[in-house]
Amino acid sequence: MASTPLREHVRSHAEDRPGVYRWLGPDGRILYVGKSVRVKSRLLSYFREETGKAARMVAGAESVNWDYIPNEFAAVVREMRLIRAWQPEYNVQHRRDRRYGFIKVTREPAPRLVPVSRVRTDGARYYGPFGQTGWLAHAVHDLALATGLRDCSADTPIHFGDQLEIFATGRVPRCIRADTGTCLAPCAGRCTTADYDGRIRLVRAFLEARSRAPLDALARGVQEAAAQLRFEYAATIRDRMETLEKLWNHLSGFRGQVDHFNFVYSVPGFGGDDRIYLIRRGRLCAELPWPKSDQARLRANDVVEEVFRPVPADRDGELEADAAAEVLLTVAWFNKRPRERKRAVAPERWLAGKGGTTRTGPGQSPRRGSAGDRVTASPESPPLSPTIR
C-alpha cells in the first residue's frame, strides 16, 4: 500500500480519540508502536515528514492499524506492553533489553546489602527499582562502608559478642574492614546482635528515605578528618558522601513503598467510557467499566477483593524486568500528574463506598456510587517510596 492510499485510509477511517497504533511492514512485521490522545491527527502528521526516521518508516510501511483506548493512562500502559512484547525496530523507549536494579537487604543473622537485578520471594527486603544500574554496586558498597554492615560472602560464620559459646576462643576478623572501622565485624564477636540490628534499622530508614543518618555521619567524618589535617582521607569520605547523596536523591524522589502502591484509580473516558483500574504493587492488574448501578458496583467490589487479596509468598512470583518497567511507568505517571493521584483511593476506601470521581465529559458532574451516594475524589493518595517487602 503506497503512502498516498495509506494516508487516505487514515483520513477516511481514523478518529481523533485516544488510542494505540501500529505501523506494519510488507511481511506484517510491526515496525513501530505509538499512542496518542488524537489518533487521526497523530497518524496524519507522519505523512508530513519528508526526511528522518519517521519518513523512512512510512515509506517502508505496508499498513497501519489502531485500537481505540478509553483514556490516555490505558494507552500509555498498552503502548509499553506492546513495545516490550514485539520489540519494533523503530521504537527506542521501553525496549526489553533494559535492565533494572534493586538493593536487597538479606534475611540472615547478620544481614548484608546486595545489588540484584530481580526480586524473589525469599523473605528479604528489596528497594528499587533503579533505572540506571551501572553505579548501584558502588553505591551499595559505600553504604555498607558508611554504616558498618558486612559485605562478606553469605557462608561467613557469624559470632555475635553476646552469643553464648562454650568453647569460645579469640576470633580474628575475616577481612581488614574491622581494623579500619568500616565493619562491625560480627564474624569475630566485635558487636552484639542489638548493635547490628540497630545498624540495619538505620540502613532501612535511609533506603526508605526516612533518615539521612548515614550522610550526617559522613559529614561529621569529613570535618573530623579535616581538623586532623588528614585531607586525603577527608576527600575519600567526601566522595563516598557524593555517591550516597545520589542514592538518597533517587530514593526520596521516587517516594513511596512499591509494595503498598495499591489502589483503585478511576478515570473518565472518551465519550463517557469511564473506567476503573486496579493497580497492585505499581502494576495494572485489572480494568473495569465504571459501575453505573448497585449491581455493577457489587460485581466491581468482587473483583477489587480478588485483586487485592493477600497472596501466599510462594505464589507471589518474581518482579522481573517487565514488572519493574511497569512500576516505573506507573509511578512516573502519578508523580507528573498530582491531580490524577487524587482519583486513586485505597481498596478499603473503594469497598467502603468512597471510590474516586469520574466525569462523563468536560463540565459534567461526578457520577454517583452505589445506593445513590455522591462519590468524590479522595484527598488521600498512596505514599510513594521505593521499598518492596
Side-chain angles (χ1 to χ4, degrees):
M1 185 182 294
S3 61
T4 299
L6 191 55
R7 181 173 58 244
E8 292 308 313
H9 173 74
V10 171
R11 194 187 307 276
S12 301
H13 295 86
E15 300 178 25
D16 262 339
R17 53 189 295 186
V20 174
Y21 54 87
R22 295 166 294 278
W23 291 91
L24 289 81
D27 54 357
R29 178 170 46 91
I30 296 179
L31 303 176
Y32 183 81
V33 174
K35 58 91 178 57
S36 177
V37 293
R38 292 179 293 275
V39 168
K40 180 177 182 178
S41 296
R42 182 69 185 102
L43 289 176
L44 290 176
S45 71
Y46 283 95
F47 297 102
R48 293 193 289 270
E49 299 289 340
E50 297 181 356
T51 60
K53 183 174 71 173
R56 293 195 303 271
M57 181 187 69
V58 172
E62 176 71 18
S63 61
V64 59
N65 56 39
W66 55 86
D67 299 315
Y68 296 122
I69 310 293
N71 53 73
E72 185 181 5
F73 171 74
V76 167
V77 176
R78 175 69 171 163
E79 176 198 38
M80 186 206 70
R81 290 178 174 177
L82 288 175
I83 292 173
R84 295 186 69 82
W86 292 100
Q87 296 289 283
E89 60 181 277
Y90 283 95
N91 282 102
V92 176
Q93 190 179 17
H94 304 311
R95 297 285 296 204
R96 182 188 294 276
D97 56 1
R98 183 177 180 184
R99 296 181 62 84
Y100 296 91
F102 304 85
I103 298 177
K104 174 181 179 178
V105 180
T106 63
R107 187 179 183 182
E108 299 172 291
R112 297 169 298 133
L113 301 178
V114 183
V116 297
S117 59
R118 66 180 61 189
V119 172
R120 300 181 184 276
T121 55
D122 55 4
R125 293 193 180 190
Y126 294 81
Y127 298 84
F130 295 86
Q132 299 177 348
T133 60
W135 62 281
L136 191 57
H138 180 58
V140 168
H141 177 67
D142 279 0
L143 183 56
L145 292 177
T147 56
L149 298 188
R150 70 185 183 105
D151 60 359
C152 48
S153 62
D155 58 0
T156 300
I158 300 300
H159 305 279
F160 288 110
D162 54 345
Q163 181 177 325
L164 179 62
E165 295 183 77
I166 298 177
F167 302 103
T169 58
R171 297 189 181 278
V172 178
R174 295 297 185 98
C175 70
I176 198 174
R177 281 190 56 198
D179 296 328
T180 58
T182 60
C183 182
L184 294 176
C187 62
R190 295 194 178 182
C191 68
T192 65
T193 305
D195 293 335
Y196 203 89
D197 286 347
R199 294 297 178 88
I200 287 294
R201 288 193 295 272
L202 181 148
V203 168
R204 287 174 177 164
F206 177 81
L207 293 174
E208 293 166 7
R210 294 187 291 105
S211 170
R212 289 176 56 92
L215 282 167
D216 295 339
L218 288 176
R220 291 192 297 270
V222 170
Q223 295 176 352
E224 292 172 2
Q228 298 169 6
L229 305 183
R230 302 170 63 193
F231 299 115
E232 185 174 348
Y233 181 56
T236 299
I237 301 177
R238 190 176 298 110
D239 290 343
R240 194 172 297 159
M241 280 186 63
E242 291 179 359
T243 302
L244 295 192
E245 190 72 46
K246 179 180 179 180
L247 180 60
W248 169 265
N249 288 338
H250 176 90
L251 296 168
S252 59
F254 192 66
R255 293 211 178 275
Q257 297 182 337
V258 172
D259 196 36
H260 296 111
F261 201 71
N262 304 320
F263 47 80
V264 179
Y265 175 40
S266 58
V267 186
F270 184 89
D273 187 8
D274 301 344
R275 301 293 180 98
I276 59 173
Y277 298 93
L278 311 186
I279 297 173
R280 177 169 182 161
R281 301 184 70 193
R283 301 195 70 186
L284 175 58
C285 295
E287 174 183 350
L288 300 169
W290 177 266
K292 300 179 181 179
S293 67
D294 290 348
Q295 289 300 318
R297 180 75 181 215
L298 292 175
R299 289 193 295 270
N301 287 354
D302 289 341
V303 179
V304 171
E305 290 179 341
E306 178 64 27
V307 167
F308 295 103
R309 180 175 298 167
V311 177
D314 59 355
R315 293 176 51 202
D316 204 18
E318 299 177 355
L319 187 59
E320 307 256 2
D322 284 344
E326 192 161 315
V327 169
L328 290 173
L329 182 73
T330 303
V331 171
W333 171 270
F334 286 101
N335 281 347
K336 294 176 181 178
R337 298 167 177 81
R339 290 185 179 180
E340 291 303 300
R341 288 180 60 187
K342 293 183 179 181
R343 296 184 180 277
V345 299
E348 297 80 9
R349 289 181 59 82
W350 172 271
L351 293 172
K354 300 178 180 179
T357 298
T358 67
R359 297 177 183 272
T360 56
Q364 296 189 20
S365 59
R367 296 187 182 277
R368 295 180 177 272
S370 60
D373 294 332
R374 182 67 170 250
V375 179
T376 58
S378 167
E380 297 184 358
S381 56
L384 298 174
S385 102
T387 177
I388 304 176
R389 300 181 189 276

